[in-house]
Amino acid sequence: MKRGREKKAQITIFIIIAIIIIVGVVLFYFTNQKKQASQEYFLQESIKPGLIAVQSGIMECAKETSKKALEIIGLQGGYYKNLKKDPIKSAELETLFIPYYYYQGQYLMPSKEIIENQLSLYINDNLENRINEIKQPDFSFLYEKPTTSTKINEKNVDFTINQNIKIEKSSYTTTYELKDHKVIIDSELDGILNLASFLTE
C-alpha cells in the first residue's frame, strides 16, 4: 500500500512539472508573439514617424530638464530642496530660498558633491513631468523612475541618465531605454563655486 501511494505521489509530481513546463512554453510563445506584433506595428510607415518624434522628444526633455536643474540650483545657491532632516539655514524669497553660506561663525556652503546630488535629484523628480508634455496623438507613457548621476567639470556639467520608458499606442507597446544617456551642458558652475567659496572664507 505504501509503495502504491509513493508511486501515485511520484506520478502526481511529474504531472505538475509537465503542466508547469507547458504553461511556461505557452506563455513564452504568446509573449514573443505579442512582442513581435508590437515591433511590426511600430515599424509601419504610418506609425514610425510618430515614434521617432517621441524618442527625439524624450532626449530633448532630458536636455531641457538638465538645463532647468542648473537654473534652479543657481538661483538657490546649490540646492534644489530644503532638507527636512537637517534644514538649511536660509532666507525665503517668494518661491525660492537663499541659503546662508556663513552664519554665526559657521561655514555652511554646500560641497560640490552635495550640489551634484541635488542636480541629480531635480532630474529624477522632474523628468517625467517634462516627458508628459510631449504632444503626439494617441501616444502614452509608463515610466520607471530615472536614476541620474552628475559631475561638475571645469567648463561643463555632465549628467548621466538611466530610465526605461514604455511607449504605448493602440494597445501596442515598445520600450525606449535611456541607458547611460549623456547630457553635457556648457556651464561655468565650477568656477562660480570656487569664487563663492573664496568670498565666503
Side-chain angles (χ1 to χ4, degrees), residues 24-38:
V25 169
V26 170
L27 285 174
F28 178 77
Y29 174 77
F30 280 110
T31 301
N32 273 359
Q33 288 290 97
K34 189 174 180 180
K35 188 176 180 181
Q36 187 176 346
S38 289

Side-chain angles (χ1 to χ4, degrees), residues 55 161-165 175-181:
Q55 292 171 339
I161 303 170
N162 288 278
Q163 184 182 32
N164 287 337
I165 303 156
T175 299
Y176 185 63
E177 185 178 13
L178 289 178
K179 184 173 175 60
D180 296 331
H181 178 68

Side-chain angles (χ1 to χ4, degrees), residues 101-102 107 109 191-201:
Y101 281 7
Y102 185 81
Y107 179 80
M109 181 177 170
I192 292 168
L193 293 176
N194 290 334
L195 178 59
S197 177
F198 173 76
L199 291 174
T200 304
E201 290 175 4

Side-chain angles (χ1 to χ4, degrees), residues 119-132:
L119 287 163
S120 296
L121 182 61
Y122 180 91
I123 292 175
N124 293 344
D125 283 353
N126 292 279
L127 179 55
E128 293 175 14
N129 293 333
R130 189 80 185 192
I131 291 171
N132 279 332

Side-chain angles (χ1 to χ4, degrees), residues 57-128:
I58 290 169
M59 288 190 288
E60 186 63 24
C61 287
K63 184 176 180 180
E64 291 303 315
T65 306
S66 300
K67 287 181 179 179
K68 189 66 177 178
L70 285 169
E71 180 184 327
I72 293 296
I73 263 65
L75 290 170
Q76 297 192 156
Y79 292 100
Y80 156 48
K81 284 184 174 179
N82 203 333
L83 308 177
K84 290 181 179 179
K85 290 183 179 179
D86 185 18
I88 302 158
K89 291 181 175 63
S90 62
E92 300 298 322
L93 183 63
E94 295 182 356
T95 58
L96 302 174
F97 65 91
I98 310 300
Y100 297 139
Y101 281 7
Y102 185 81
Y103 184 79
Q104 294 183 350
Q106 290 181 293
Y107 179 80
L108 301 174
M109 181 177 170
S111 67
K112 187 184 288 187
E113 290 74 19
I114 287 174
I115 297 171
E116 288 170 341
N117 289 336
Q118 290 284 301
L119 287 163
S120 296
L121 182 61
Y122 180 91
I123 292 175
N124 293 344
D125 283 353
N126 292 279
L127 179 55
E128 293 175 14

Side-chain angles (χ1 to χ4, degrees), residues 20 22 32 43 46 57 81 101 124 127 138 171 183 199:
I20 291 170
I22 291 167
N32 273 359
L43 287 173
S46 59
K81 284 184 174 179
Y101 281 7
N124 293 344
L127 179 55
D138 302 323
S171 77
V183 178
L199 291 174

